[in-house]
């Protein structure tokens, strides 16, 4: 019996090792060309983001340039794009991003476009998603969406990797960059992008998607927004910052947001010294040079000494900051597309109670809102954990 057990154990071990080898081989086949392609692009990727003279001149959504990506996902063709859009004041600016489309025959009226809006990565050029080694990594659910037959476009937002004002949590600019990314995908030969559009965003990207949905009818009337979906959206900026006045999250978000607002709204008196302490203002250049997640340890090291003394005043009580936070919070307009809102029950950044209040507000306005609570989801995992519910909802609304 002992000998049989040993032989069985050895056979089981060999089978398990064989399975691992097979999985590694499959991964190599699937990922190898993609990673090799990503590596091959490293030598010239920076050149793409150098804007030609007059790059912003032209209609919103038109392409400045595009290039095929060597490291495309299996069964897809992909591009890096630079395109024109408009900022909060209507001025022409430029944004970048990626487009991926499934290989094969597209519908006669083009593929539905999934416009992805990414969560906070930072504001420095190095934090630009399309410029990273794996530009698909931050597109949460990209494989699911491509398998649905969507063409996927993912904007970097204005001011990330391109010239122009930093647009961090500037709702109108972010929303425009999302809508114009769809227009840019439609202008790209080979993307087979139609006018039907689904919007999907997480955290910072949730705010961008909500502003895009609210503005689509007037800003991009040629697009048919079938559905809008957000995960842990930065919908109410007053509540978001109010919940983190004295912690590392508030210092990090504040470093990115107040720097951006002081540039964008300088003409409205958005001076940093009216809301931040001198110590806080002193660390902004260092904080804004670092990327979230990949450089968290250094971000926290710089921020730690000013936690609790970052804000000189609660922004909610100081103008023009109080008004600017309200203006850049979603919910000011209704839209007809159905809305899916996912929230992680364990989220410590965008608090469940804040999202639930936003959902209640939207429902009170007569909007069609589906709320999904991910019991085990935190801020980082909620979008992935909500993908099954999201895909079922997309099916139910015919998107």
């Amino acid at each position: 019996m002992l000998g049989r057990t040993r032989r069985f154990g050895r056979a089981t071990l060999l089978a398990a090792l064989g399975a691992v080898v097979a999985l590694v081989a499959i991964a190599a086949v699937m990922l190898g060309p993609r990673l090799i392609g990503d590596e091959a692009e490293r030598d010239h990727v920076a050149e793409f983001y150098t804007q030609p003279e007059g790059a912003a001149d032209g209609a919103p959504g038109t392409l400045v340039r595009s290039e095929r990506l060597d490291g495309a996902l299996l069964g897809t063709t992909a591009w890096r794009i630079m395109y024109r859009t408009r900022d909060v004041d209507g001025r022409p600016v430029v944004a970048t991003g990626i487009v991926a489309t499934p290989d094969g025959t597209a519908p006669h009226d083009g593929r539905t476009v999934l416009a992805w809006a990414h969560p906070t990565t930072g504001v420095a050029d190095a934090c630009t998603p399309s410029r990273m080694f794996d530009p698909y990594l931050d597109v949460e659910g990209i494989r699911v969406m491509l398998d649905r037959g969507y063409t996927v476009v993912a904007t970097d937002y204005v001011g990330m990797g391109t010239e122009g004002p930093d647009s961090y949590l500037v709702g109108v600019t972010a929303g425009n960059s999302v809508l114009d990314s769809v227009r840019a995908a439609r202008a790209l030969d080979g993307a087979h992008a139609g006018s039907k559009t689904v919007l999907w965003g997480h955290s910072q990207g949730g705010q961008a998607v909500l502003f895009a949905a609210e503005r689509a009818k007037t800003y991009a009337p040629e697009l048919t927004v079938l559905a809008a979906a957000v995960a842990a959206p930065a919908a109410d900026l007053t509540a978001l910052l109010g919940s983190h006045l004295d912690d590392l999250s508030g210092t990090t978000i504040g470093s990115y947001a107040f720097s951006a607002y002081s540039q964008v709204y300088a003409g409205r008196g958005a001076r940093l010294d009216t809301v931040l302490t001198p110590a806080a203002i002193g660390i902004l250049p260092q904080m804004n040079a670092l990327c979230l997640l990949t450089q968290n340890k250094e971000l926290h090291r710089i921020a730690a000494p000013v936690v609790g003394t970052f804000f000189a005043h609660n922004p909610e009580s100081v103008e023009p900051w109080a008004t600017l936070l309200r203006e850049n919070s979603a919910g000011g307009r209704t839209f007809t597309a159905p809305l899916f809102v996912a929230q992680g029950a364990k989220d410590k950044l965008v608090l469940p109670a804040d999202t639930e209040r936003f959902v209640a507000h939207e429902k009170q306005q007569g909007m069609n809102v589906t709320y999904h609570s991910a019991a085990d989801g935190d801020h980082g995992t909620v979008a992935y954990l909500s993908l099954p519910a999201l895909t079922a909802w997309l099916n139910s609304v015919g998107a």
Side-chain angles (χ1 to χ4, degrees), residues 56-81:
D57 299 337
T62 55
L63 288 167
V64 177
R65 60 163 57 121
S66 65
E67 66 178 15
R68 284 276 293 270
L69 292 176
D70 295 326
L73 295 167
L74 187 66
T76 73
T77 303
W79 300 261
R80 185 177 285 111
I81 60 171

Side-chain angles (χ1 to χ4, degrees), residues 240-247 250-251 306-311 313-316:
L240 176 61
L241 283 168
S243 299
H244 299 287
L245 291 175
D246 299 318
D247 63 22
T251 301
V306 301
V307 169
T309 59
F310 185 78
F311 292 99
H313 306 283
N314 186 331
E316 189 177 358

Side-chain angles (χ1 to χ4, degrees), residues 1 38 47 86 90 109 137 145 160 179 181 191 221-222 244-245 248 261 289 314 387:
M1 177 66 73
D38 286 341
E47 299 172 12
R86 293 289 185 268
D109 57 348
L137 187 63
M145 301 307 172
M160 288 198 70
L179 294 170
S181 75
E222 77 278 16
H244 299 287
L245 291 175
L248 281 168
Y261 282 26
N314 186 331
L387 284 173

Side-chain angles (χ1 to χ4, degrees), residues 113 191 276:
V113 181
L276 303 183

Side-chain angles (χ1 to χ4, degrees), residues 42-56:
R42 291 300 94 195
D43 289 340
H44 64 271
V45 68
E47 299 172 12
F48 184 87
Y49 296 87
T50 303
Q51 291 177 214
E53 186 176 350

Side-chain angles (χ1 to χ4, degrees), residues 121-323:
T121 58
V123 295
D125 286 352
C127 316
T128 306
S130 74
R131 196 168 180 163
M132 294 180 180
F133 179 78
D134 186 346
Y136 315 98
L137 187 63
D138 288 331
V139 186
E140 295 166 318
I142 186 171
R143 186 76 259 176
V144 173
M145 301 307 172
L146 289 167
D147 288 346
R148 289 181 67 83
Y150 295 160
T151 290
V152 176
V153 60
T155 182
D156 295 320
Y157 309 130
V158 173
M160 288 198 70
T162 57
E163 298 172 14
D166 181 2
S167 64
Y168 184 72
L169 293 179
V170 180
V172 171
T173 306
N176 290 352
S177 68
V178 171
L179 294 170
D180 285 324
S181 75
V182 178
R183 287 169 159 167
R186 297 188 69 202
L188 186 63
D189 288 340
H192 308 296
S195 62
K196 295 177 182 177
T197 303
V198 174
L199 308 173
W200 167 226
H202 178 194
S203 191
Q204 175 192 0
Q207 182 223 31
V209 158
L210 291 168
F211 269 82
E214 290 175 2
R215 293 173 50 76
K217 188 174 182 180
T218 54
Y219 184 79
E222 77 278 16
L223 303 182
T224 301
V225 179
L226 301 177
V230 295
D236 185 341
L237 299 189
T238 302
L240 176 61
L241 283 168
S243 299
H244 299 287
L245 291 175
D246 299 318
D247 63 22
L248 281 168
S249 294
T251 301
T252 304
I253 295 170
S255 294
Y256 293 156
F258 286 95
S259 293
Y261 282 26
S262 69
Q263 300 169 43
V264 173
Y265 299 111
R268 293 175 60 180
R271 288 174 32 220
L272 291 172
D273 60 4
T274 63
V275 70
L276 303 183
T277 64
I281 295 171
I283 69 167
L284 295 186
Q286 295 170 277
M287 294 290 285
N288 282 274
L290 300 173
C291 303
L292 199 66
L293 300 182
T294 58
Q295 295 177 301
N296 268 4
K297 185 175 180 180
E298 185 65 7
L299 279 168
H300 291 174
R301 184 191 67 78
I302 296 166
V306 301
V307 169
T309 59
F310 185 78
F311 292 99
H313 306 283
N314 186 331
E316 189 177 358
S317 66
V318 181
E319 293 295 350
W321 302 102
T323 297

